[in-house]
Amino acid sequence: MPEAPYPADTRAKGWRFELNYEQIDQSDTWDIAAEIPMAQHSLLMMWYVAWKQEPCGSLPGDESTVRAKCKVSPKAWALMRDVLMRGWWLADDGRLYHPTLTERVLEMLEYRRKTAERVANFKAKQREQRGGNTLPTGE
């Protein structure tokens, strides 16, 4: 099994899940889902549910649990399963990942890393300035 794409404790922590409408419109899965009643709605729900999971952007490896979390009835799941599960792959942590969501999570993690680095550099410069700008004590 492939390795999980990011750490198990990865959470969105307020990071918004934004839909890329252009990417969705160009998706074969979206077009196929249009042929099955409520399948497009269920796709959106799957992405939303996955975004809230830990790790972010993943789903449990058990399809019955995925179905229940996404509020899809067993009868509807039987009709939609193939289209809803397109692109999802099972990682060594027992969770399902999708390339589009994985890409978004990795973008989020990289943004957070850069922000933390920028803040650390700013604070280091502030400490240097405070240390170099102290008033003489008169001794």
Side-chain angles (χ1 to χ4, degrees):
M1 267 187 230
E3 193 174 309
Y6 36 80
D9 62 350
T10 303
R11 297 183 63 206
K13 295 181 188 169
W15 185 272
R16 294 182 310 173
F17 175 64
E18 297 175 354
L19 297 174
N20 181 337
Y21 298 107
E22 189 174 302
Q23 187 177 14
I24 290 171
D25 282 341
Q26 294 176 10
S27 166
D28 294 337
T29 301
W30 190 251
D31 293 335
I32 294 168
E35 299 174 352
I36 304 167
M38 296 301 292
Q40 287 180 325
H41 298 85
S42 297
L43 279 172
L44 292 173
M45 180 59 91
M46 282 183 74
W47 301 336
Y48 171 71
V49 167
W51 192 256
K52 296 188 317 177
Q53 295 287 300
E54 188 173 329
C56 181
S58 72
L59 290 169
D62 174 52
E63 286 187 25
S64 295
T65 305
V66 171
R67 180 196 57 74
K69 284 186 175 295
C70 296
K71 313 293 189 246
V72 178
S73 72
K75 184 177 179 180
W77 183 262
L79 296 172
M80 297 185 230
R81 185 228 174 264
D82 290 344
V83 71
L84 295 180
M85 295 305 293
R86 280 176 60 112
W88 291 90
W89 52 275
L90 187 64
D92 63 353
D93 63 355
R95 302 210 36 105
L96 296 165
Y97 294 87
H98 191 279
T100 303
L101 288 173
T102 299
E103 178 183 334
R104 185 72 176 124
V105 172
L106 293 173
E107 287 172 4
M108 173 187 72
L109 292 173
E110 179 63 12
Y111 178 85
R112 286 180 178 169
R113 185 194 64 76
K114 286 181 179 178
T115 299
E117 186 178 296
R118 191 174 59 248
V119 168
N121 289 339
F122 176 77
K123 287 182 177 181
K125 284 181 185 176
Q126 280 187 322
R127 280 191 300 274
E128 286 176 23
Q129 287 176 351
R130 279 193 306 258
N133 289 337
T134 57
L135 296 173
T137 59
E139 292 176 7

